[in-house]
Amino acid sequence: MKNLLGSSVKDLENVALDYGEAAFRGRQIHNWIYNYRNKKKNIDQIEVLPLDFRKKLKDDGFKVSELCVQERKLANDGTLKLLLSTIDNENIECVGIPTEKRLTACLSSQVGCPMDCKFCATGKEGLKRSLKTSEILDQILFIENEMNRKVTNIVFMGMGEPLLNIDALLLSVRSINEDFQISQRKITVSTVAVPKMISRLSVKSFQFLGKCQFTLAISLHASNQKIRETIIPSAKNYEIKNIIEDCKKFVKDTGRRVSFEYLMLRGVNDNLEHAYELSNLLKGFQCHVNLIQYNKIEEVEFKRTSLKNLQLFQSILVKNGIAVSSRKSRGLDKNAACGQLRQSAKHK
Ligand code: SF4
């Protein structure tokens, strides 16, 4: 199968030329694919193209979209979670998070995940495989189609560890930026941190994209190595102080501040002494901390911190000069947290 999705204008012009068509036919394909108003993303629907050209593309195995919706879950706040199936019958999840001005797409980068974070439903299933660039981008088409509006922001916070699928990740970022016309500054790549990969990300970004302007978000979730290892088993391979050093280098190399995600888990990492410890760890560093309330999942013991405790924790960081915000979880309905639709579908 050959994917038209994720191909640049130039690539599509070359496809048209290869079939003896004028280059502008490639531009027509490009305009058609990335216009969210075009609903059914199959070649038959590209009616601006001559019928015989469409037939040749189809006969030669070209496709636009290759995923299928298996399940939709709409939360009271408008957040839409989709369970999508791949052509090899694997399931992945993506989420559309709307506000008045924005539609943020939360995308998966892998089928499952090898990182086994203790608070995450996806980690329970292990890794099946990494997604292709077209499968990553296809999630945006589905969210736009289902929500009938254009995606404005992207977060790679769905299933998988994006830095373990770095080439497909960066090719997706290129397409999101140039084809979907979403600024790199509106893209966030979230990672639990993999040794050597933070520096590789900045080097490869300049190679693949010529710039590195997206936001890097580190799922830190702890103020010291000991706690981090209890909730993120893979953390034992990467000391927290080395993560911070590598992030400082990332800031120097790219000029972009780093975000640290901190999931507040009651009695685990949410004591006020942890707020002081975190402040010391991050002092003097161009960064931002995002405190997140926890979504409970089955088979996992963690509990949500109280709002009062979250606010106290936040105030300590602020007093110590750390830029901080708190994020309410969206889509809190039963089984709507990360990885849970896939898990419940498997158990049906
Ligand atoms: S939180 Fe992210 S990195 Fe950790 S297991 Fe879940 S999907 Fe993987």
Side-chain angles (χ1 to χ4, degrees):
M1 184 172 53
K2 301 163 197 169
N3 293 98
L4 297 174
L5 182 59
S7 302
S8 65
V9 181
K10 192 86 213 137
D11 290 340
L12 292 172
E13 284 177 349
N14 286 334
V15 169
L17 292 171
D18 285 348
Y19 282 84
E21 300 284 339
F24 80 88
R25 294 291 183 200
R27 293 196 291 280
Q28 286 180 320
I29 298 173
H30 192 269
N31 291 341
W32 188 90
I33 291 175
Y34 299 103
N35 181 346
Y36 78 93
R37 291 186 179 86
N38 295 326
K39 296 292 177 197
K40 290 187 180 159
K41 298 288 187 183
N42 60 55
I43 289 170
D44 287 325
Q45 304 294 321
I46 316 179
E47 288 172 357
V48 286
L49 296 184
L51 207 56
D52 64 326
F53 182 30
R54 278 184 263 161
K55 185 171 182 315
K56 281 182 203 158
L57 289 173
K58 270 180 22 185
D59 289 349
D60 286 349
F62 280 98
K63 276 207 169 238
V64 180
S65 176
E66 62 183 277
L67 302 177
C68 286
V69 177
Q70 290 298 316
E71 204 175 325
R72 300 170 175 81
K73 197 141 197 131
L74 185 64
N76 293 334
D77 62 5
T79 298
L80 177 71
K81 180 161 276 216
L82 295 175
L83 182 71
L84 303 173
S85 61
T86 61
I87 51 169
D88 56 348
N89 287 323
E90 297 294 349
N91 287 329
I92 55 167
E93 293 181 9
C94 61
V95 188
I97 306 159
T99 62
E100 203 185 319
K101 293 196 174 143
R102 293 178 182 189
L103 174 58
T104 301
C106 176
L107 306 181
S108 293
S109 55
Q110 295 184 305
V111 181
C113 183
M115 305 307 276
D116 194 25
C117 302
K118 295 300 175 205
F119 49 80
C120 173
T122 301
K124 307 265 152 270
E125 306 283 337
L127 174 69
K128 282 285 170 65
R129 67 172 173 85
S130 287
L131 293 177
K132 297 180 292 182
T133 305
S134 56
E135 291 171 314
I136 294 172
L137 298 171
D138 213 353
Q139 297 169 60
I140 305 174
L141 297 184
F142 275 93
I143 289 170
E144 289 186 335
N145 190 358
E146 295 275 331
M147 301 185 86
N148 202 22
R149 56 189 278 204
K150 189 156 170 38
V151 164
T152 59
N153 295 65
I154 300 285
V155 291
F156 283 92
M157 289 186 182
M159 296 164 59
E161 167 48 64
L163 299 196
L164 293 178
N165 190 14
I166 195 165
D167 287 7
L169 168 78
L170 290 172
L171 290 170
S172 303
V173 170
R174 186 217 59 79
S175 179
I176 290 165
N177 185 214
E178 293 175 13
D179 305 324
F180 285 87
Q181 293 282 300
I182 298 172
S183 154
Q184 266 202 39
R185 291 173 188 273
K186 293 185 174 174
I187 301 171
T188 298
V189 175
S190 176
T191 172
V192 289
V194 180
K196 299 193 172 64
M197 293 309 284
I198 294 174
S199 62
R200 196 166 299 167
L201 182 67
S202 59
V203 170
K204 281 205 163 208
S205 294
F206 285 104
Q207 276 171 6
F208 278 59
L209 311 168
K211 58 187 177 182
C212 180
Q213 292 181 336
F214 53 80
T215 298
L216 175 65
I218 305 288
S219 296
L220 198 67
H221 306 321
S223 55
N224 63 52
Q225 180 66 15
K226 196 165 163 217
I227 295 177
R228 196 161 192 270
E229 282 185 26
T230 63
I231 53 181
I232 304 174
S234 62
K236 65 180 180 304
N237 303 318
Y238 201 1
E239 283 281 330
I240 199 165
K241 63 176 188 332
N242 294 337
I243 294 177
I244 304 300
E245 284 313 305
D246 289 348
C247 286
K248 284 181 179 169
K249 182 155 188 320
F250 184 89
V251 172
K252 206 164 152 229
D253 291 345
T254 64
R256 300 284 292 160
R257 77 173 181 179
V258 171
S259 243
F260 290 101
E261 306 283 320
Y262 197 102
L263 189 62
M264 299 285 288
L265 302 171
R266 195 198 308 171
V268 177
N269 63 2
D270 70 339
N271 295 342
L272 301 187
E273 70 191 62
H274 297 138
Y276 288 107
E277 194 173 35
L278 186 62
S279 303
N280 284 333
L281 190 67
L282 301 179
K283 228 173 221 171
F285 172 26
Q286 191 188 347
C287 68
H288 172 265
V289 174
N290 197 4
L291 301 176
I292 309 161
Q293 283 186 315
Y294 172 63
N295 263 348
K296 177 128 186 69
I297 63 168
E298 282 168 26
E299 303 164 31
V300 174
E301 290 297 302
F302 295 120
K303 295 191 178 73
R304 189 179 250 250
T305 203
S306 69
L307 188 60
K308 190 169 167 234
N309 195 62
L310 186 142
Q311 286 165 343
L312 276 173
F313 197 99
Q314 182 164 357
S315 68
I316 292 169
L317 295 179
V318 171
K319 266 187 221 145
N320 282 284
I322 310 288
V324 56
S325 56
S326 56
R327 187 172 85 212
K328 263 193 182 169
S329 297
R330 300 279 308 258
L332 281 174
D333 298 356
K334 189 172 180 289
N335 281 343
C338 173
Q340 284 176 294
L341 270 187
R342 176 170 175 262
Q343 206 180 40
S344 63
K346 278 187 82 168
H347 296 152
K348 271 178 191 167

